[in-house]
Amino acid sequence: MIPVAKPLITEEEVEEVVEVLRSGFIAQGPQVADFEEKFASYVGTKHAVAVSSGTTALHLSLLLADVKSGDEVITTPFSFVATGNCALYVGARPVFVDIDPKTYNLNPEKIEDVITERTKVILPVHLYGQPAEMDHINEIAQEHELLVIEDAAQAHGSMYNNKMAGSLGDLACFSFYPTKNMTSSEGGMITTDNSEMADLARMLRSHGEKERYEHVVLGYNFRMTDIAAAIGRVQLKRLPGFNQKRIENAQYLSEHIKNIKDISAPYVSKKVLHVFHQYTIRIADGRRDEIMEKLNQNGVGTGIYYHKPIYNQKLYQDLGYQNQCLEAERASSDVLSLPVHPLLRIEELEKIVFTLADASEQIFQ
Ligand SMILES: Cc1ncc(COP(=O)(O)O)c(C=O)c1O
């Protein structure tokens, strides 16, 4: 089976981790500090604050934005559940706005309809590695005095108008989960130009500690370990190469998929550098599951991101959500992600295209 995702760990990561283990300094320490410095410099922000996951990065970011009980956070329903849950953690309400059916990202045209006096934050996701329509989103945020937090969990190294994802809003959150474009095992990062917020983030990730055992605010244990940071530092060096390979693989797939009946290759906006965390096709006429089955039977792994909008998860249904974001719902039943990771060989790319063409021929006749 060609897996849909595969982390790429080499001897260098192994050696760095072993060195950290031998150093005896395995909790948050010098590796984390160095990883933060290099990540901030890569993204082009003044600060980067490492945390234990993308989810804790989102949770802390909402605290930094002073989002509280009763406040509202405008976001997309077509994302991983953490994007909605982070608002719930701070007692706020995620307000879901439909997506653009071409990019699958938050549709800015629909944001102003749902802004109220309780709205505090707009939280766009750069889904599949393609940045959201940030100019328009930032314009709306400015006009209504809202903060913008980028969920860049899937978008390391992607760009919008030649600016790096992670430097496009007030705060941004990355995930280093193993399937992402770069990994640290588990891990996350907050990037920002705001020095006050960065200082507060450093306190909040470590029990609100200002000096050793002096706790000034209610904080958490959301720290990254030096073991994770050692992996992250090596992966960050290799990220541009990984992304280049993903982009080339996506180009190959799109060139060949454009001739397959009833299957659409991903749309890429002219304003962005899409880094293809996922290569996601769209299948017509509700035949997605049949195509997926044929691919899987023939050794091509696939993924569905996401099989329902967040508001249709049981947790949200129990909270009384009754949204109807029609484009998100359509996408949930049409999308299918194919392998695009940097380890794919040309024979495997050929096999993906061939198997997909064959499946389409059988199913659409
Ligand atoms: C869009 C999005 N947001 C948030 C997260 C949460 O990141 P993590 O799994 O590192 O907590 C993920 C990844 O899983 C994600 O894809």
Side-chain angles (χ1 to χ4, degrees), residues 261-295:
K261 194 169 174 308
D262 293 308
I263 294 193
S264 321
Y267 166 84
V268 181
S269 159
K270 288 197 171 56
K271 294 183 192 168
V272 309
L273 177 73
H274 188 325
V275 292
F276 289 98
H277 169 58
Q278 298 294 348
Y279 181 89
T280 303
I281 56 172
R282 190 160 192 148
I283 296 159
D285 299 336
R287 313 298 291 267
R288 190 261 319 272
D289 291 357
E290 291 165 76
I291 296 270
M292 178 175 72
E293 219 166 278
K294 292 251 181 255
L295 288 170

Short mmCIF file of all heavy atoms in Angstrom, two decimals, residues 261-295:
data_model
loop_
_atom_site.label_atom_id
_atom_site.label_comp_id
_atom_site.label_asym_id
_atom_site.label_seq_id
_atom_site.Cartn_x
_atom_site.Cartn_y
_atom_site.Cartn_z
N LYS A 261 -11.88 11.76 -16.34
CA LYS A 261 -13.29 12.17 -16.35
C LYS A 261 -13.85 12.32 -14.92
O LYS A 261 -13.62 11.47 -14.08
CB LYS A 261 -14.05 11.07 -17.09
CG LYS A 261 -15.44 11.42 -17.51
CD LYS A 261 -15.93 10.31 -18.45
CE LYS A 261 -17.36 10.46 -18.85
NZ LYS A 261 -18.35 10.62 -17.89
N ASP A 262 -14.58 13.39 -14.70
CA ASP A 262 -15.32 13.61 -13.45
C ASP A 262 -14.47 13.72 -12.19
O ASP A 262 -14.96 13.56 -11.07
CB ASP A 262 -16.39 12.52 -13.25
CG ASP A 262 -17.47 12.63 -14.31
OD1 ASP A 262 -18.01 13.73 -14.49
OD2 ASP A 262 -17.74 11.62 -14.99
N ILE A 263 -13.17 13.97 -12.39
CA ILE A 263 -12.29 14.16 -11.23
C ILE A 263 -11.57 15.49 -11.38
O ILE A 263 -11.02 15.77 -12.45
CB ILE A 263 -11.29 12.98 -11.13
CG1 ILE A 263 -12.11 11.73 -10.82
CG2 ILE A 263 -10.22 13.27 -10.08
CD1 ILE A 263 -11.41 10.54 -10.40
N SER A 264 -11.62 16.33 -10.34
CA SER A 264 -10.95 17.64 -10.44
C SER A 264 -9.71 17.66 -9.58
O SER A 264 -9.74 17.28 -8.40
CB SER A 264 -11.85 18.78 -9.97
OG SER A 264 -13.16 18.56 -10.38
N ALA A 265 -8.63 18.14 -10.20
CA ALA A 265 -7.37 18.35 -9.46
C ALA A 265 -7.54 19.58 -8.57
O ALA A 265 -8.44 20.40 -8.79
CB ALA A 265 -6.24 18.56 -10.46
N PRO A 266 -6.67 19.76 -7.55
CA PRO A 266 -6.82 20.91 -6.66
C PRO A 266 -6.62 22.24 -7.37
O PRO A 266 -5.78 22.34 -8.27
CB PRO A 266 -5.71 20.72 -5.62
CG PRO A 266 -5.13 19.39 -5.83
CD PRO A 266 -5.58 18.86 -7.14
N TYR A 267 -7.41 23.23 -6.97
CA TYR A 267 -7.27 24.59 -7.48
C TYR A 267 -6.19 25.29 -6.65
O TYR A 267 -6.16 25.17 -5.42
CB TYR A 267 -8.60 25.32 -7.32
CG TYR A 267 -8.51 26.81 -7.50
CD1 TYR A 267 -8.56 27.39 -8.78
CD2 TYR A 267 -8.36 27.66 -6.40
CE1 TYR A 267 -8.46 28.76 -8.94
CE2 TYR A 267 -8.26 29.03 -6.56
CZ TYR A 267 -8.31 29.57 -7.84
OH TYR A 267 -8.21 30.92 -7.99
N VAL A 268 -5.29 26.00 -7.32
CA VAL A 268 -4.27 26.75 -6.59
C VAL A 268 -4.41 28.24 -6.95
O VAL A 268 -4.29 28.62 -8.11
CB VAL A 268 -2.84 26.27 -6.94
CG1 VAL A 268 -1.81 27.06 -6.15
CG2 VAL A 268 -2.70 24.78 -6.66
N SER A 269 -4.65 29.07 -5.93
CA SER A 269 -4.80 30.51 -6.15
C SER A 269 -3.47 31.08 -6.66
O SER A 269 -2.39 30.66 -6.23
CB SER A 269 -5.20 31.16 -4.83
OG SER A 269 -4.89 32.53 -4.86
N LYS A 270 -3.57 32.10 -7.52
CA LYS A 270 -2.36 32.73 -8.07
C LYS A 270 -1.56 33.48 -7.01
O LYS A 270 -0.39 33.77 -7.17
CB LYS A 270 -2.74 33.70 -9.19
CG LYS A 270 -3.20 32.99 -10.44
CD LYS A 270 -3.17 33.93 -11.65
CE LYS A 270 -3.41 33.16 -12.94
NZ LYS A 270 -4.69 32.39 -12.93
N LYS A 271 -2.25 33.81 -5.89
CA LYS A 271 -1.56 34.60 -4.85
C LYS A 271 -0.70 33.76 -3.93
O LYS A 271 -0.04 34.30 -3.05
CB LYS A 271 -2.63 35.27 -3.96
CG LYS A 271 -3.46 36.30 -4.67
CD LYS A 271 -4.40 36.91 -3.66
CE LYS A 271 -5.47 37.74 -4.33
NZ LYS A 271 -6.53 38.10 -3.40
N VAL A 272 -0.78 32.42 -4.05
CA VAL A 272 -0.15 31.62 -2.99
C VAL A 272 0.93 30.68 -3.49
O VAL A 272 0.98 30.34 -4.67
CB VAL A 272 -1.21 30.75 -2.24
CG1 VAL A 272 -2.39 31.59 -1.77
CG2 VAL A 272 -1.69 29.58 -3.08
N LEU A 273 1.79 30.30 -2.55
CA LEU A 273 2.61 29.12 -2.73
C LEU A 273 1.95 28.03 -1.88
O LEU A 273 1.92 28.12 -0.65
CB LEU A 273 4.05 29.37 -2.25
CG LEU A 273 4.94 28.13 -2.36
CD1 LEU A 273 5.28 27.86 -3.83
CD2 LEU A 273 6.21 28.29 -1.54
N HIS A 274 1.38 27.06 -2.56
CA HIS A 274 0.67 25.95 -1.91
C HIS A 274 1.69 24.86 -1.63
O HIS A 274 2.41 24.45 -2.55
CB HIS A 274 -0.40 25.47 -2.91
CG HIS A 274 -1.39 24.47 -2.39
ND1 HIS A 274 -1.08 23.49 -1.48
CD2 HIS A 274 -2.70 24.27 -2.71
CE1 HIS A 274 -2.17 22.75 -1.24
NE2 HIS A 274 -3.16 23.21 -1.97
N VAL A 275 1.78 24.40 -0.38
CA VAL A 275 2.83 23.41 -0.06
C VAL A 275 2.29 21.98 0.06
O VAL A 275 2.99 21.09 0.54
CB VAL A 275 3.65 23.79 1.20
CG1 VAL A 275 4.50 25.03 0.93
CG2 VAL A 275 2.75 23.99 2.41
N PHE A 276 1.04 21.80 -0.35
CA PHE A 276 0.49 20.46 -0.49
C PHE A 276 0.73 19.55 0.71
O PHE A 276 1.26 18.46 0.57
CB PHE A 276 0.95 19.80 -1.80
CG PHE A 276 0.31 20.46 -2.99
CD1 PHE A 276 0.99 21.43 -3.71
CD2 PHE A 276 -1.00 20.17 -3.35
CE1 PHE A 276 0.37 22.07 -4.78
CE2 PHE A 276 -1.62 20.81 -4.40
CZ PHE A 276 -0.93 21.76 -5.13
N HIS A 277 0.29 20.03 1.87
CA HIS A 277 0.21 19.10 3.00
C HIS A 277 -0.69 17.94 2.58
O HIS A 277 -0.41 16.78 2.87
CB HIS A 277 -0.34 19.81 4.23
CG HIS A 277 -0.68 18.86 5.32
ND1 HIS A 277 0.24 18.00 5.86
CD2 HIS A 277 -1.86 18.57 5.93
CE1 HIS A 277 -0.35 17.25 6.78
NE2 HIS A 277 -1.62 17.56 6.83
N GLN A 278 -1.77 18.27 1.91
CA GLN A 278 -2.61 17.24 1.30
C GLN A 278 -2.79 17.58 -0.17
O GLN A 278 -2.87 18.76 -0.54
CB GLN A 278 -4.00 17.18 1.94
CG GLN A 278 -4.01 16.81 3.41
CD GLN A 278 -3.54 15.40 3.69
OE1 GLN A 278 -3.38 14.57 2.78
NE2 GLN A 278 -3.28 15.11 4.95
N TYR A 279 -2.87 16.54 -1.00
CA TYR A 279 -3.23 16.70 -2.40
C TYR A 279 -4.65 16.15 -2.51
O TYR A 279 -4.87 14.94 -2.42
CB TYR A 279 -2.27 15.92 -3.31
CG TYR A 279 -2.63 16.08 -4.77
CD1 TYR A 279 -2.10 17.13 -5.52
CD2 TYR A 279 -3.55 15.22 -5.39
CE1 TYR A 279 -2.46 17.31 -6.85
CE2 TYR A 279 -3.91 15.40 -6.71
CZ TYR A 279 -3.36 16.43 -7.43
OH TYR A 279 -3.71 16.63 -8.74
N THR A 280 -5.60 17.05 -2.66
CA THR A 280 -7.01 16.67 -2.49
C THR A 280 -7.79 16.88 -3.78
O THR A 280 -7.91 18.01 -4.26
CB THR A 280 -7.61 17.47 -1.32
OG1 THR A 280 -6.82 17.21 -0.17
CG2 THR A 280 -9.05 17.06 -1.05
N ILE A 281 -8.32 15.77 -4.28
CA ILE A 281 -9.12 15.84 -5.51
C ILE A 281 -10.60 15.90 -5.13
O ILE A 281 -10.97 15.63 -3.99
CB ILE A 281 -8.86 14.62 -6.43
CG1 ILE A 281 -9.13 13.30 -5.69
CG2 ILE A 281 -7.44 14.66 -6.97
CD1 ILE A 281 -9.09 12.08 -6.59
N ARG A 282 -11.38 16.25 -6.13
CA ARG A 282 -12.82 16.31 -5.90
C ARG A 282 -13.49 15.37 -6.91
O ARG A 282 -13.13 15.39 -8.09
CB ARG A 282 -13.29 17.75 -6.11
CG ARG A 282 -14.68 17.96 -5.68
CD ARG A 282 -14.96 19.43 -5.43
NE ARG A 282 -16.23 19.48 -4.76
CZ ARG A 282 -16.58 20.36 -3.87
NH1 ARG A 282 -15.74 21.33 -3.55
NH2 ARG A 282 -17.76 20.32 -3.31
N ILE A 283 -14.44 14.58 -6.44
CA ILE A 283 -15.05 13.56 -7.29
C ILE A 283 -16.54 13.85 -7.44
O ILE A 283 -17.24 14.08 -6.44
CB ILE A 283 -14.80 12.16 -6.69
CG1 ILE A 283 -13.29 11.90 -6.71
CG2 ILE A 283 -15.55 11.08 -7.46
CD1 ILE A 283 -12.82 10.87 -5.77
N ALA A 284 -16.98 13.84 -8.68
CA ALA A 284 -18.36 14.26 -8.99
C ALA A 284 -19.39 13.18 -8.61
O ALA A 284 -19.04 12.02 -8.39
CB ALA A 284 -18.45 14.56 -10.48
N ASP A 285 -20.62 13.63 -8.56
CA ASP A 285 -21.80 12.74 -8.49
C ASP A 285 -21.87 11.81 -7.29
O ASP A 285 -22.42 10.70 -7.40
CB ASP A 285 -21.88 11.86 -9.77
CG ASP A 285 -22.04 12.70 -11.01
OD1 ASP A 285 -22.52 13.84 -10.88
OD2 ASP A 285 -21.66 12.22 -12.10
N GLY A 286 -21.28 12.17 -6.17
CA GLY A 286 -21.39 11.32 -4.98
C GLY A 286 -20.72 9.96 -5.13
O GLY A 286 -21.10 9.00 -4.45
N ARG A 287 -19.72 9.87 -6.01
CA ARG A 287 -19.07 8.56 -6.24
C ARG A 287 -17.73 8.45 -5.49
O ARG A 287 -16.95 7.55 -5.77
CB ARG A 287 -18.81 8.35 -7.75
CG ARG A 287 -19.98 8.67 -8.65
CD ARG A 287 -21.19 7.79 -8.39
NE ARG A 287 -21.04 6.40 -8.75
CZ ARG A 287 -21.39 5.88 -9.93
NH1 ARG A 287 -21.87 6.64 -10.88
NH2 ARG A 287 -21.26 4.58 -10.16
N ARG A 288 -17.46 9.40 -4.58
CA ARG A 288 -16.16 9.43 -3.90
C ARG A 288 -15.81 8.10 -3.22
O ARG A 288 -14.71 7.57 -3.37
CB ARG A 288 -16.15 10.57 -2.87
CG ARG A 288 -14.81 10.89 -2.24
CD ARG A 288 -14.58 10.31 -0.86
NE ARG A 288 -15.66 10.35 0.06
CZ ARG A 288 -15.93 11.36 0.88
NH1 ARG A 288 -15.18 12.43 0.90
NH2 ARG A 288 -16.95 11.27 1.72
N ASP A 289 -16.77 7.55 -2.46
CA ASP A 289 -16.44 6.35 -1.68
C ASP A 289 -16.13 5.16 -2.58
O ASP A 289 -15.28 4.33 -2.25
CB ASP A 289 -17.58 6.03 -0.70
CG ASP A 289 -17.66 7.09 0.40
OD1 ASP A 289 -16.80 8.01 0.41
OD2 ASP A 289 -18.57 7.02 1.25
N GLU A 290 -16.80 5.10 -3.74
CA GLU A 290 -16.52 3.99 -4.67
C GLU A 290 -15.11 4.12 -5.25
O GLU A 290 -14.37 3.15 -5.36
CB GLU A 290 -17.54 4.00 -5.82
CG GLU A 290 -18.95 3.64 -5.38
CD GLU A 290 -19.95 4.02 -6.45
OE1 GLU A 290 -20.04 3.31 -7.46
OE2 GLU A 290 -20.62 5.07 -6.28
N ILE A 291 -14.76 5.35 -5.62
CA ILE A 291 -13.40 5.59 -6.16
C ILE A 291 -12.37 5.25 -5.08
O ILE A 291 -11.36 4.58 -5.35
CB ILE A 291 -13.24 7.06 -6.62
CG1 ILE A 291 -14.17 7.37 -7.78
CG2 ILE A 291 -11.79 7.40 -6.90
CD1 ILE A 291 -13.63 7.13 -9.16
N MET A 292 -12.64 5.68 -3.87
CA MET A 292 -11.71 5.44 -2.77
C MET A 292 -11.50 3.94 -2.56
O MET A 292 -10.36 3.47 -2.44
CB MET A 292 -12.28 6.05 -1.49
CG MET A 292 -11.44 5.83 -0.26
SD MET A 292 -12.12 6.70 1.16
CE MET A 292 -13.58 5.72 1.50
N GLU A 293 -12.59 3.19 -2.60
CA GLU A 293 -12.50 1.74 -2.40
C GLU A 293 -11.62 1.09 -3.47
O GLU A 293 -10.77 0.26 -3.18
CB GLU A 293 -13.90 1.15 -2.47
CG GLU A 293 -14.14 0.05 -1.47
CD GLU A 293 -15.63 -0.23 -1.36
OE1 GLU A 293 -16.32 0.51 -0.61
OE2 GLU A 293 -16.08 -1.14 -2.07
N LYS A 294 -11.83 1.52 -4.72
CA LYS A 294 -11.02 0.95 -5.82
C LYS A 294 -9.54 1.27 -5.62
O LYS A 294 -8.68 0.41 -5.84
CB LYS A 294 -11.47 1.52 -7.17
CG LYS A 294 -12.84 1.08 -7.59
CD LYS A 294 -12.75 0.10 -8.76
CE LYS A 294 -14.13 -0.33 -9.20
NZ LYS A 294 -14.49 -1.69 -8.79
N LEU A 295 -9.25 2.51 -5.23
CA LEU A 295 -7.85 2.89 -5.00
C LEU A 295 -7.25 2.04 -3.88
O LEU A 295 -6.16 1.48 -4.03
CB LEU A 295 -7.75 4.37 -4.63
CG LEU A 295 -8.01 5.38 -5.76
CD1 LEU A 295 -8.12 6.79 -5.20
CD2 LEU A 295 -6.90 5.33 -6.81
#
